[in-house]
Amino acid sequence: MISGNEFWEVNHMQCEISVIVPIYQVENYIKDSITSIAQQSFRNFEVVLVNDGSTDSSVAIAENILSAHNVNYVVINQENKGLPLGKEYRYHKFIRKMDSMHRF
């Protein structure tokens, strides 16, 4: 299931880079990680949040931060499968996978 915000739906095809962030039970770490992405000076990117069956508030935290910074994003919900390879969620020429506990 794919859901996104209005920014993603309108600006999706204009982005050059997809940043893929797998999410599974990381509510204690996700705020710093997503904030580091949202505060980039380069703005021609989108964030693909891959919710890997997380049951905590990780996805909501990420969505709130991205929305507050007007960052293009989409959420892909899936059953717990482990880390995505990335290419199946690749929408643009460039792709960057980022662990949900790291900073940009």
Side-chain angles (χ1 to χ4, degrees):
M1 172 189 224
I2 298 176
S3 63
N5 63 0
E6 66 273 10
F7 301 109
W8 186 82
E9 293 168 3
V10 172
N11 299 314
H12 164 67
M13 296 309 294
Q14 298 172 8
C15 296
E16 291 180 15
I17 298 172
S18 293
V19 180
I20 299 173
V21 182
I23 296 178
Y24 182 75
Q25 309 297 83
V26 289
E27 69 183 357
N28 294 329
Y29 312 102
I30 196 78
K31 181 180 177 184
D32 289 342
S33 178
I34 298 299
T35 299
S36 75
I37 296 170
Q39 292 178 339
Q40 296 298 306
S41 58
F42 180 81
R43 302 304 291 174
N44 197 4
F45 68 93
E46 70 178 357
V47 177
V48 180
L49 302 171
V50 181
N51 178 14
D52 194 32
S54 187
T55 58
D56 65 7
S57 61
S58 301
V59 175
I61 293 167
E63 285 189 285
N64 288 337
I65 294 167
L66 294 171
S67 291
H69 287 88
N70 293 331
V71 173
N72 297 319
Y73 74 91
V74 64
V75 178
I76 298 174
N77 294 298
Q78 65 181 28
E79 292 180 20
N80 185 257
K81 297 179 185 178
L83 294 176
L85 296 175
K87 63 184 176 182
E88 64 268 31
Y89 305 121
R90 179 181 178 164
Y91 298 112
H92 304 291
K93 182 176 180 181
F94 301 103
I95 188 171
R96 168 71 164 102
K97 292 193 301 185
M98 181 170 165
D99 189 79
S100 53
M101 293 183 279
H102 295 151
R103 293 183 186 175
F104 231 11

